Amino acid sequence: VKETSREAISELHKLGVKTVMLTGDNSHTAEAIAAQVSTDRALGGLLPEDKLREIENLVSQDIKVGMVGDGINDAPALARADIGFAMGAAGADTAIETADVALMGEDLRRLPDAIAHSRHARTIFTQNLILSGLIIAALLPLAALGILGLTTVVAIHELAEVLVILNGIRAGGRRL
């Protein structure tokens, strides 16, 4: 077991993500590895359809599910999960094509980085929607009642767009 795997699971737990290992390896091996990396649960001896069934079970409970895989045996579960992460450029083409996100390399620590980055970007996206909506909601009646002229409304709107763009740039500037 790679030290980076232990770190990745720890970081996922800090983000509030529960971890379940689904593997084709036998149950004893799965449990031993799960104990070393501290996953919340481990299931071994699974065929591709068993992995798919486990993902479907979680999804049916309204649990948001992310699946990480690198092989052809993972492709059905990757496709069914809310978000599929293919690990490694050397992973099976089917897994990479099926997944929503392809993480380059074999370092699982990129997974919590990707989750944290997407949460940060979603926060900024939400801020931008609220800011834009509030500005339009304020400008519309002011323009309709003639309190502000067309030139002033357009100028304020354009300034607001610049603010939204500058705020959006912060999403890409986050260090991983």
Side-chain angles (χ1 to χ4, degrees), residues 84-158:
F85 296 91
M87 286 300 298
D93 288 343
T94 306
I96 292 171
E97 290 173 12
T98 304
D100 300 298
V101 177
L103 299 173
M104 307 311 278
E106 300 295 324
D107 189 347
L108 275 177
R109 292 178 297 182
R110 298 296 64 92
L111 183 60
D113 288 346
I115 292 170
H117 183 69
S118 68
R119 287 179 178 176
H120 178 70
R122 182 177 54 193
T123 298
I124 291 171
F125 177 76
T126 303
Q127 289 171 353
N128 282 345
L129 283 176
I130 291 169
L131 178 63
S132 296
L134 289 173
I135 290 169
I136 289 171
L139 288 177
L140 210 88
L142 293 173
L145 295 172
I147 297 171
L148 293 179
L150 181 59
T151 306
T152 305
V153 170
V154 169
I156 292 171
H157 184 263
E158 294 305 314

Side-chain angles (χ1 to χ4, degrees), residues 8-163:
I9 299 298
S10 175
E11 289 300 315
L12 287 169
H13 286 157
K14 288 177 187 173
L15 291 171
V17 175
K18 299 252 187 237
T19 56
V20 179
M21 184 172 68
L22 307 175
T23 180
D25 294 334
N26 71 55
S27 296
H28 297 296
T29 302
E31 290 171 12
I33 292 171
Q36 288 180 38
V37 297
S38 300
T39 61
D40 295 304
R41 195 169 137 219
L43 298 170
L46 302 179
L47 297 171
E49 56 268 19
D50 300 324
K51 292 179 184 180
L52 176 60
R53 191 172 20 260
E54 288 297 324
I55 297 297
E56 287 176 336
N57 180 41
L58 293 169
V59 169
S60 72
Q61 298 174 47
D62 287 330
I63 297 172
K64 295 294 180 199
V65 178
M67 169 70 183
V68 179
D70 65 355
I72 194 165
N73 292 335
D74 299 320
L78 285 168
R80 180 60 187 102
D82 293 307
I83 185 164
F85 296 91
M87 286 300 298
D93 288 343
T94 306
I96 292 171
E97 290 173 12
T98 304
D100 300 298
V101 177
L103 299 173
M104 307 311 278
E106 300 295 324
D107 189 347
L108 275 177
R109 292 178 297 182
R110 298 296 64 92
L111 183 60
D113 288 346
I115 292 170
H117 183 69
S118 68
R119 287 179 178 176
H120 178 70
R122 182 177 54 193
T123 298
I124 291 171
F125 177 76
T126 303
Q127 289 171 353
N128 282 345
L129 283 176
I130 291 169
L131 178 63
S132 296
L134 289 173
I135 290 169
I136 289 171
L139 288 177
L140 210 88
L142 293 173
L145 295 172
I147 297 171
L148 293 179
L150 181 59
T151 306
T152 305
V153 170
V154 169
I156 292 171
H157 184 263
E158 294 305 314
L159 178 61
E161 284 186 17
V162 170
L163 291 174

